Amino acid sequence: MKRYRTRRPIGALLALAAAGGLLLTGCTGGGDADQGTKESAADSRGDSAPMPAPDRPRGEGEQRYDGGTATGEAGDTEGSPGIAPDPDHLSTFALDVDTASYGYARRTLSEGRLPDPSTVRPEEFVNSFRQDYDRPDGDGFTVTVDGARTGEEGWSLVRVGLATRSAEQEGERPPAALTFVIDISGSMAEPGRLDLAKESLGTMTDRLRDDDSVAIVTFSDEAETVLPMTRLGDRRGRVHDAIDSLEPTDSTNLGAGVETGYDTAVEGRREGATNRVVLVSDALANTGDTDADAILERIADERREHGITLFGVGVGSDYGDALMERLADKGDGHTAYVSDTEDAREVFSEQLPRHIELTARDAKAQVAFDPETVAEFRLVGYDNRQVADEDFRDDRVDGGEVGPGHTVTALYAVRVRPGADGHLATATVRWLDPRTRAPHEESGDVETGALADSVWGADRGLRVTAAAAYFADALRAPYDDGGALPGAPRLGELAERADALADRTEDPDVGQLAEAVRQADRLT
């Protein structure tokens, strides 16, 4: 299948973007597809086709479109589940690479329970897998757009892939000032919670650099700063002693933990460093300030005033997923979930030390679907990350951060007009330079002729993306036949396809996906 990529820097434009994060799923660069480049979308298809982020307002950024013509006449929506009419052909969202929803779903299924549908966020399933998108030579992004036709007439899945430079190209990153806020409430005594956190933090301490700094705050019924911000150097023993002293105690005053954690982070804030709060908790607040809005407001204030971001690490079979996600979103960060030693090693020992550096701030994406070829579309997931279309280039609108070695994937269900041929969509990512805050953009295009004939005959990355999205879709409505996505297979068939894909790719992550699908199939 041929994929079209266009790099189109537009450094003079003002803009905003949306949420990346410190820890994202890394992947190796390079792809085996043919490439086509274009200097601009307008050059290749004329001025009549839709362009990203027009200057005039175009509504409130709804992520669905259904129209019969370029002027927005309604088209036939029969057989189009979950897609509402909307005259807008733009889709704008903040980048989000959280993975906690998928990790928690795997944990729940392994215990013989279906996850609560409200905890299933499809974009976090999709972004839990490595992709082989081409990578830029320096800071910023590459944009890859591809897709494949489904078994449902007229419907295709279109994938937008964004990638930063590889982590191996790391230069002299700025030092890190990390404040760990650790839940030591009674519920953290469960195996796989505090014990896992202590082991992981100890290993991570040895991986950080001498010029990095660490502070430790604990909370149960009240919060305490166990270790003020400490430059590592020859003081690693003090950090290890503080970690070893952690023991579970009483109830969970999450509000006090967050407040004390940010107080400690502000007091130990280092100019020119990456200042971040890392919250390790089951997020089951049961005493003190349990009002989410009050906790969230504190995080937003500190982020705005001091640039301190939040990374949430969820643990435990009972886990306050919704609260942790809201905390991370408000704190310009993201979440991960750890259920075993391997998860913890990946998050604390591999991702965190390697991805402290930022390559982009306030990153967000906008996809313009061509109304001449597209009858309707739907963005899969990103429900909490939608951005008004007219805010795409408004730098006052908050975004998020992305580091090296990261990829972001968004998947769309797209109904192509009968007999339509030519330009299908243009995807643009916009971000600010982390040092100068200068805006930059890159774009990529896809044509109808570039769509593979079948999702399951497409390249490896698109098949994995589709399998993850179909799985999330099924878990949102586990007792329905098929799902809202076009071409959705039954869980049994999806498990077989994931198994075959795992065998061909020899990818253990895909093998875990196949096992999770089998578990869900048995439970339904």
Side-chain angles (χ1 to χ4, degrees):
M1 177 181 61
K2 189 174 182 180
R3 292 183 288 187
Y4 292 80
R5 302 176 180 86
T6 300
R7 298 181 185 177
R8 196 154 46 96
I10 313 175
L13 301 173
L14 298 175
L16 168 73
L22 164 66
L23 310 175
L24 306 173
T25 303
C27 73
T28 57
D32 55 3
D34 295 331
Q35 287 185 193
T37 22
K38 306 171 189 172
E39 291 184 359
S40 73
D43 291 340
S44 64
R45 63 180 183 276
D47 293 336
S48 62
M51 295 297 291
D55 293 334
R56 63 187 184 279
R58 301 198 61 90
E60 294 305 315
E62 289 292 324
Q63 303 299 290
R64 300 175 179 84
Y65 163 72
D66 172 28
T69 70
T71 60
E73 297 172 5
D76 178 14
T77 59
E78 183 177 355
S80 307
I83 302 178
D86 192 313
D88 195 354
H89 59 253
L90 294 176
S91 171
T92 309
F93 61 95
L95 270 59
D96 188 4
V97 289
D98 289 355
T99 60
S101 177
Y102 175 66
Y104 186 47
R106 283 183 49 220
R107 167 71 177 261
T108 304
L109 289 165
S110 70
E111 295 175 345
R113 299 178 289 125
L114 287 171
D116 185 328
S118 68
T119 68
V120 177
R121 294 181 291 277
E123 71 275 16
E124 299 187 22
F125 280 54
V126 165
N127 279 299
S128 293
F129 297 91
R130 293 183 295 274
Q131 297 289 350
D132 62 351
Y133 306 132
D134 285 348
R135 294 186 179 275
D137 295 329
D139 289 350
F141 294 87
T142 55
V143 181
T144 301
V145 191
D146 60 6
R149 305 180 191 277
T150 70
E152 192 168 329
E153 186 175 359
W155 283 95
S156 297
L157 297 182
V158 173
R159 180 179 63 155
V160 176
L162 311 173
T164 59
R165 63 174 168 82
S166 66
E168 286 70 25
Q169 295 174 346
E170 176 186 16
E172 285 299 319
R173 67 161 172 84
L178 306 176
T179 302
F180 290 90
V181 180
I182 303 171
D183 187 345
I184 58 168
S185 62
S187 60
M188 292 292 288
E190 174 190 307
R193 297 195 186 195
L194 185 57
D195 58 337
L196 196 59
K198 289 171 63 174
E199 178 184 351
S200 304
L201 289 171
T203 304
M204 183 214 64
T205 297
D206 293 331
R207 297 278 314 265
L208 291 173
R209 298 179 178 178
D210 286 346
D211 62 346
D212 293 331
S213 300
V214 170
I216 296 177
V217 171
T218 61
F219 67 95
S220 54
D221 55 341
E222 58 185 24
E224 176 187 2
T225 300
V226 176
L227 181 75
M229 193 64 72
T230 302
R231 193 79 60 98
L232 287 177
D234 59 358
R235 302 182 183 90
R236 295 177 194 270
R238 291 178 57 187
V239 180
H240 282 293
D241 289 343
I243 294 170
D244 293 341
S245 71
L246 303 180
E247 296 293 341
T249 56
D250 301 313
S251 52
T252 309
N253 191 338
L254 182 59
V258 169
E259 182 171 358
T260 304
Y262 271 87
D263 285 344
T264 302
V266 169
E267 184 178 345
R269 183 178 179 274
R270 294 175 58 185
E271 289 291 338
T274 300
N275 293 274
R276 185 162 283 115
V277 169
V278 182
L279 174 62
V280 183
S281 175
D282 56 18
L284 300 174
N286 56 24
T287 190
D289 191 353
T290 60
D291 179 63
D293 290 335
I295 301 172
L296 290 167
E297 188 56 37
R298 176 59 191 267
I299 288 175
D301 288 344
E302 300 296 356
R303 177 194 55 74
R304 285 191 296 265
E305 184 175 353
H306 301 289
I308 298 172
T309 57
L310 177 75
F311 172 56
V313 180
V315 295
S317 55
D318 294 320
Y319 167 53
D321 170 79
L323 177 55
M324 185 68 90
E325 187 209 11
R326 290 181 66 197
L327 289 170
D329 284 349
K330 201 75 169 181
D332 258 7
H334 72 281
T335 61
Y337 179 84
V338 299
S339 62
D340 55 31
T341 302
E342 181 61 27
D343 289 345
R345 183 199 62 79
E346 173 66 20
V347 168
F348 287 104
S349 300
E350 300 295 333
Q351 295 181 14
L352 185 53
R354 192 172 67 233
H355 298 319
I356 289 170
E357 182 185 6
L358 295 180
T359 59
R361 286 190 181 274
D362 289 336
K364 59 180 181 272
Q366 184 169 86
V367 183
F369 290 94
D370 196 323
E372 298 296 327
T373 56
V374 174
E376 54 186 310
F377 66 82
R378 174 183 148 213
L379 174 60
V380 180
Y382 289 91
D383 299 334
N384 300 330
R385 309 303 299 166
Q386 295 182 15
V387 175
D389 295 332
E390 64 268 27
D391 288 341
F392 180 60
R393 294 191 173 105
D394 185 348
D395 290 336
R396 296 167 299 178
V397 179
D398 185 40
E401 290 73 43
V402 183
H406 299 160
T407 63
V408 183
T409 298
L411 191 69
Y412 287 86
V414 178
R415 183 164 69 90
V416 179
R417 297 185 184 283
D421 186 33
H423 175 257
L424 187 73
T426 296
T428 301
V429 59
R430 183 176 177 89
W431 74 96
L432 304 181
D433 182 278
R435 291 171 293 277
T436 67
R437 299 194 69 82
H440 302 275
E441 292 187 8
E442 296 283 352
S443 293
D445 297 274
V446 66
E447 309 281 324
T448 57
L451 298 175
D453 291 336
S454 166
V455 167
W456 305 114
D459 83 351
R460 173 259 178 206
L462 183 54
R463 280 178 287 159
V464 172
T465 297
Y470 281 136
F471 184 36
D473 194 44
L475 291 177
R476 283 187 153 186
Y479 298 103
D480 292 346
D481 289 336
L485 281 180
R490 297 284 191 98
L491 278 172
E493 179 188 346
L494 183 59
E496 292 176 1
R497 291 195 178 277
D499 262 330
L501 187 56
D503 288 342
R504 283 194 295 270
T505 61
E506 297 183 347
D507 186 337
D509 293 336
V510 180
Q512 291 175 347
L513 171 64
E515 175 59 27
V517 176
R518 283 194 300 270
Q519 291 167 338
D521 187 35
R522 288 193 292 267
L523 291 171
T524 56

